[in-house]
mmCIF file with all atom_site columns, all heavy atoms in Angstrom:
data_model
loop_
_atom_site.group_PDB
_atom_site.id
_atom_site.type_symbol
_atom_site.label_atom_id
_atom_site.label_alt_id
_atom_site.label_comp_id
_atom_site.label_asym_id
_atom_site.label_entity_id
_atom_site.label_seq_id
_atom_site.pdbx_PDB_ins_code
_atom_site.Cartn_x
_atom_site.Cartn_y
_atom_site.Cartn_z
_atom_site.occupancy
_atom_site.B_iso_or_equiv
_atom_site.pdbx_formal_charge
_atom_site.auth_seq_id
_atom_site.auth_comp_id
_atom_site.auth_asym_id
_atom_site.auth_atom_id
_atom_site.pdbx_PDB_model_num
ATOM 1   N N   . THR A 1 28 ? -19.760 -26.621 -139.053 1.00 93.00 ? 286 THR A N   1
ATOM 2   C CA  . THR A 1 28 ? -19.665 -26.437 -137.612 1.00 93.00 ? 286 THR A CA  1
ATOM 3   C C   . THR A 1 28 ? -19.579 -27.818 -136.976 1.00 93.00 ? 286 THR A C   1
ATOM 4   O O   . THR A 1 28 ? -20.286 -28.742 -137.378 1.00 93.00 ? 286 THR A O   1
ATOM 5   C CB  . THR A 1 28 ? -20.851 -25.630 -137.039 1.00 93.00 ? 286 THR A CB  1
ATOM 6   O OG1 . THR A 1 28 ? -20.718 -25.558 -135.621 1.00 93.00 ? 286 THR A OG1 1
ATOM 7   C CG2 . THR A 1 28 ? -22.187 -26.236 -137.387 1.00 93.00 ? 286 THR A CG2 1
ATOM 8   N N   . VAL A 1 29 ? -18.673 -27.953 -136.024 1.00 92.00 ? 287 VAL A N   1
ATOM 9   C CA  . VAL A 1 29 ? -18.464 -29.225 -135.337 1.00 92.00 ? 287 VAL A CA  1
ATOM 10  C C   . VAL A 1 29 ? -18.542 -28.968 -133.840 1.00 92.00 ? 287 VAL A C   1
ATOM 11  O O   . VAL A 1 29 ? -17.862 -28.084 -133.318 1.00 92.00 ? 287 VAL A O   1
ATOM 12  C CB  . VAL A 1 29 ? -17.080 -29.821 -135.685 1.00 92.00 ? 287 VAL A CB  1
ATOM 13  C CG1 . VAL A 1 29 ? -16.865 -31.146 -134.952 1.00 92.00 ? 287 VAL A CG1 1
ATOM 14  C CG2 . VAL A 1 29 ? -16.921 -30.010 -137.184 1.00 92.00 ? 287 VAL A CG2 1
ATOM 15  N N   . GLY A 1 30 ? -19.385 -29.716 -133.167 1.00 90.00 ? 288 GLY A N   1
ATOM 16  C CA  . GLY A 1 30 ? -19.479 -29.562 -131.715 1.00 90.00 ? 288 GLY A CA  1
ATOM 17  C C   . GLY A 1 30 ? -20.727 -30.212 -131.174 1.00 90.00 ? 288 GLY A C   1
ATOM 18  O O   . GLY A 1 30 ? -21.516 -30.793 -131.915 1.00 90.00 ? 288 GLY A O   1
ATOM 19  N N   . ARG A 1 31 ? -20.881 -30.101 -129.879 1.00 93.00 ? 289 ARG A N   1
ATOM 20  C CA  . ARG A 1 31 ? -22.068 -30.703 -129.261 1.00 93.00 ? 289 ARG A CA  1
ATOM 21  C C   . ARG A 1 31 ? -23.302 -29.868 -129.628 1.00 93.00 ? 289 ARG A C   1
ATOM 22  O O   . ARG A 1 31 ? -23.216 -28.654 -129.785 1.00 93.00 ? 289 ARG A O   1
ATOM 23  C CB  . ARG A 1 31 ? -21.895 -30.832 -127.754 1.00 93.00 ? 289 ARG A CB  1
ATOM 24  C CG  . ARG A 1 31 ? -21.873 -29.550 -127.008 1.00 93.00 ? 289 ARG A CG  1
ATOM 25  C CD  . ARG A 1 31 ? -21.618 -29.771 -125.513 1.00 93.00 ? 289 ARG A CD  1
ATOM 26  N NE  . ARG A 1 31 ? -21.627 -28.496 -124.838 1.00 93.00 ? 289 ARG A NE  1
ATOM 27  C CZ  . ARG A 1 31 ? -20.590 -27.675 -124.761 1.00 93.00 ? 289 ARG A CZ  1
ATOM 28  N NH1 . ARG A 1 31 ? -19.448 -28.025 -125.299 1.00 93.00 ? 289 ARG A NH1 1
ATOM 29  N NH2 . ARG A 1 31 ? -20.697 -26.514 -124.146 1.00 93.00 ? 289 ARG A NH2 1
ATOM 30  N N   . LEU A 1 32 ? -24.401 -30.552 -129.756 1.00 95.00 ? 290 LEU A N   1
ATOM 31  C CA  . LEU A 1 32 ? -25.642 -29.899 -130.154 1.00 95.00 ? 290 LEU A CA  1
ATOM 32  C C   . LEU A 1 32 ? -26.471 -29.635 -128.897 1.00 95.00 ? 290 LEU A C   1
ATOM 33  O O   . LEU A 1 32 ? -27.285 -30.448 -128.477 1.00 95.00 ? 290 LEU A O   1
ATOM 34  C CB  . LEU A 1 32 ? -26.408 -30.775 -131.154 1.00 95.00 ? 290 LEU A CB  1
ATOM 35  C CG  . LEU A 1 32 ? -25.614 -31.181 -132.395 1.00 95.00 ? 290 LEU A CG  1
ATOM 36  C CD1 . LEU A 1 32 ? -26.444 -32.092 -133.293 1.00 95.00 ? 290 LEU A CD1 1
ATOM 37  C CD2 . LEU A 1 32 ? -25.123 -29.969 -133.151 1.00 95.00 ? 290 LEU A CD2 1
ATOM 38  N N   . ASP A 1 33 ? -26.225 -28.473 -128.297 1.00 94.00 ? 291 ASP A N   1
ATOM 39  C CA  . ASP A 1 33 ? -26.963 -28.087 -127.109 1.00 94.00 ? 291 ASP A CA  1
ATOM 40  C C   . ASP A 1 33 ? -27.294 -26.597 -127.172 1.00 94.00 ? 291 ASP A C   1
ATOM 41  O O   . ASP A 1 33 ? -26.932 -25.910 -128.119 1.00 94.00 ? 291 ASP A O   1
ATOM 42  C CB  . ASP A 1 33 ? -26.212 -28.451 -125.832 1.00 94.00 ? 291 ASP A CB  1
ATOM 43  C CG  . ASP A 1 33 ? -24.903 -27.699 -125.660 1.00 94.00 ? 291 ASP A CG  1
ATOM 44  O OD1 . ASP A 1 33 ? -24.666 -26.699 -126.355 1.00 94.00 ? 291 ASP A OD1 1
ATOM 45  O OD2 . ASP A 1 33 ? -24.096 -28.111 -124.810 1.00 94.00 ? 291 ASP A OD2 1
ATOM 46  N N   . GLU A 1 34 ? -27.983 -26.123 -126.162 1.00 92.00 ? 292 GLU A N   1
ATOM 47  C CA  . GLU A 1 34 ? -28.469 -24.754 -126.154 1.00 92.00 ? 292 GLU A CA  1
ATOM 48  C C   . GLU A 1 34 ? -27.335 -23.724 -126.230 1.00 92.00 ? 292 GLU A C   1
ATOM 49  O O   . GLU A 1 34 ? -27.482 -22.669 -126.829 1.00 92.00 ? 292 GLU A O   1
ATOM 50  C CB  . GLU A 1 34 ? -29.311 -24.494 -124.894 1.00 92.00 ? 292 GLU A CB  1
ATOM 51  C CG  . GLU A 1 34 ? -30.606 -25.268 -124.832 1.00 92.00 ? 292 GLU A CG  1
ATOM 52  C CD  . GLU A 1 34 ? -30.425 -26.700 -124.315 1.00 92.00 ? 292 GLU A CD  1
ATOM 53  O OE1 . GLU A 1 34 ? -29.294 -27.109 -123.963 1.00 92.00 ? 292 GLU A OE1 1
ATOM 54  O OE2 . GLU A 1 34 ? -31.421 -27.431 -124.294 1.00 92.00 ? 292 GLU A OE2 1
ATOM 55  N N   . GLY A 1 35 ? -26.210 -24.022 -125.642 1.00 91.00 ? 293 GLY A N   1
ATOM 56  C CA  . GLY A 1 35 ? -25.111 -23.074 -125.575 1.00 91.00 ? 293 GLY A CA  1
ATOM 57  C C   . GLY A 1 35 ? -24.490 -22.741 -126.914 1.00 91.00 ? 293 GLY A C   1
ATOM 58  O O   . GLY A 1 35 ? -23.891 -21.680 -127.082 1.00 91.00 ? 293 GLY A O   1
ATOM 59  N N   . LYS A 1 36 ? -24.623 -23.622 -127.897 1.00 92.00 ? 294 LYS A N   1
ATOM 60  C CA  . LYS A 1 36 ? -24.017 -23.410 -129.206 1.00 92.00 ? 294 LYS A CA  1
ATOM 61  C C   . LYS A 1 36 ? -24.925 -22.626 -130.156 1.00 92.00 ? 294 LYS A C   1
ATOM 62  O O   . LYS A 1 36 ? -24.469 -22.123 -131.170 1.00 92.00 ? 294 LYS A O   1
ATOM 63  C CB  . LYS A 1 36 ? -23.656 -24.749 -129.858 1.00 92.00 ? 294 LYS A CB  1
ATOM 64  C CG  . LYS A 1 36 ? -22.717 -25.611 -129.029 1.00 92.00 ? 294 LYS A CG  1
ATOM 65  C CD  . LYS A 1 36 ? -21.339 -25.009 -128.960 1.00 92.00 ? 294 LYS A CD  1
ATOM 66  C CE  . LYS A 1 36 ? -20.413 -25.958 -128.220 1.00 92.00 ? 294 LYS A CE  1
ATOM 67  N NZ  . LYS A 1 36 ? -19.047 -25.524 -128.202 1.00 92.00 ? 294 LYS A NZ  1
ATOM 68  N N   . ASN A 1 37 ? -26.201 -22.565 -129.853 1.00 93.00 ? 295 ASN A N   1
ATOM 69  C CA  . ASN A 1 37 ? -27.202 -21.812 -130.629 1.00 93.00 ? 295 ASN A CA  1
ATOM 70  C C   . ASN A 1 37 ? -27.217 -22.178 -132.116 1.00 93.00 ? 295 ASN A C   1
ATOM 71  O O   . ASN A 1 37 ? -27.209 -21.319 -132.995 1.00 93.00 ? 295 ASN A O   1
ATOM 72  C CB  . ASN A 1 37 ? -27.013 -20.306 -130.460 1.00 93.00 ? 295 ASN A CB  1
ATOM 73  C CG  . ASN A 1 37 ? -28.321 -19.558 -130.667 1.00 93.00 ? 295 ASN A CG  1
ATOM 74  O OD1 . ASN A 1 37 ? -29.355 -20.148 -130.982 1.00 93.00 ? 295 ASN A OD1 1
ATOM 75  N ND2 . ASN A 1 37 ? -28.284 -18.252 -130.504 1.00 93.00 ? 295 ASN A ND2 1
ATOM 76  N N   . HIS A 1 38 ? -27.249 -23.475 -132.398 1.00 95.00 ? 296 HIS A N   1
ATOM 77  C CA  . HIS A 1 38 ? -27.333 -23.932 -133.783 1.00 95.00 ? 296 HIS A CA  1
ATOM 78  C C   . HIS A 1 38 ? -28.648 -23.512 -134.431 1.00 95.00 ? 296 HIS A C   1
ATOM 79  O O   . HIS A 1 38 ? -28.708 -23.358 -135.644 1.00 95.00 ? 296 HIS A O   1
ATOM 80  C CB  . HIS A 1 38 ? -27.182 -25.458 -133.848 1.00 95.00 ? 296 HIS A CB  1
ATOM 81  C CG  . HIS A 1 38 ? -25.777 -25.915 -133.625 1.00 95.00 ? 296 HIS A CG  1
ATOM 82  N ND1 . HIS A 1 38 ? -25.326 -26.311 -132.395 1.00 95.00 ? 296 HIS A ND1 1
ATOM 83  C CD2 . HIS A 1 38 ? -24.738 -26.004 -134.471 1.00 95.00 ? 296 HIS A CD2 1
ATOM 84  C CE1 . HIS A 1 38 ? -24.059 -26.638 -132.497 1.00 95.00 ? 296 HIS A CE1 1
ATOM 85  N NE2 . HIS A 1 38 ? -23.673 -26.463 -133.740 1.00 95.00 ? 296 HIS A NE2 1
ATOM 86  N N   . GLN A 1 39 ? -29.691 -23.327 -133.634 1.00 94.00 ? 297 GLN A N   1
ATOM 87  C CA  . GLN A 1 39 ? -30.976 -22.900 -134.198 1.00 94.00 ? 297 GLN A CA  1
ATOM 88  C C   . GLN A 1 39 ? -30.825 -21.552 -134.902 1.00 94.00 ? 297 GLN A C   1
ATOM 89  O O   . GLN A 1 39 ? -31.320 -21.382 -136.029 1.00 94.00 ? 297 GLN A O   1
ATOM 90  C CB  . GLN A 1 39 ? -32.035 -22.818 -133.111 1.00 94.00 ? 297 GLN A CB  1
ATOM 91  C CG  . GLN A 1 39 ? -33.394 -22.428 -133.659 1.00 94.00 ? 297 GLN A CG  1
ATOM 92  C CD  . GLN A 1 39 ? -34.484 -22.505 -132.602 1.00 94.00 ? 297 GLN A CD  1
ATOM 93  O OE1 . GLN A 1 39 ? -34.319 -23.097 -131.543 1.00 94.00 ? 297 GLN A OE1 1
ATOM 94  N NE2 . GLN A 1 39 ? -35.616 -21.907 -132.901 1.00 94.00 ? 297 GLN A NE2 1
ATOM 95  N N   . LEU A 1 40 ? -30.137 -20.610 -134.299 1.00 94.00 ? 298 LEU A N   1
ATOM 96  C CA  . LEU A 1 40 ? -29.903 -19.317 -134.925 1.00 94.00 ? 298 LEU A CA  1
ATOM 97  C C   . LEU A 1 40 ? -29.072 -19.467 -136.195 1.00 94.00 ? 298 LEU A C   1
ATOM 98  O O   . LEU A 1 40 ? -29.357 -18.841 -137.219 1.00 94.00 ? 298 LEU A O   1
ATOM 99  C CB  . LEU A 1 40 ? -29.205 -18.367 -133.953 1.00 94.00 ? 298 LEU A CB  1
ATOM 100 C CG  . LEU A 1 40 ? -28.841 -16.995 -134.508 1.00 94.00 ? 298 LEU A CG  1
ATOM 101 C CD1 . LEU A 1 40 ? -30.090 -16.223 -134.897 1.00 94.00 ? 298 LEU A CD1 1
ATOM 102 C CD2 . LEU A 1 40 ? -28.030 -16.213 -133.481 1.00 94.00 ? 298 LEU A CD2 1
ATOM 103 N N   . LEU A 1 41 ? -28.075 -20.317 -136.147 1.00 94.00 ? 299 LEU A N   1
ATOM 104 C CA  . LEU A 1 41 ? -27.236 -20.566 -137.316 1.00 94.00 ? 299 LEU A CA  1
ATOM 105 C C   . LEU A 1 41 ? -28.065 -21.128 -138.475 1.00 94.00 ? 299 LEU A C   1
ATOM 106 O O   . LEU A 1 41 ? -27.963 -20.666 -139.611 1.00 94.00 ? 299 LEU A O   1
ATOM 107 C CB  . LEU A 1 41 ? -26.107 -21.528 -136.939 1.00 94.00 ? 299 LEU A CB  1
ATOM 108 C CG  . LEU A 1 41 ? -25.051 -21.804 -137.980 1.00 94.00 ? 299 LEU A CG  1
ATOM 109 C CD1 . LEU A 1 41 ? -24.297 -20.534 -138.333 1.00 94.00 ? 299 LEU A CD1 1
ATOM 110 C CD2 . LEU A 1 41 ? -24.087 -22.854 -137.465 1.00 94.00 ? 299 LEU A CD2 1
#
Side-chain angles (χ1 to χ4, degrees):
T286 177
V287 180
R289 69 183 181 277
L290 305 178
D291 65 15
E292 293 82 2
K294 303 291 185 175
N295 207 357
H296 286 96
Q297 182 173 345
L298 177 63
L299 186 63

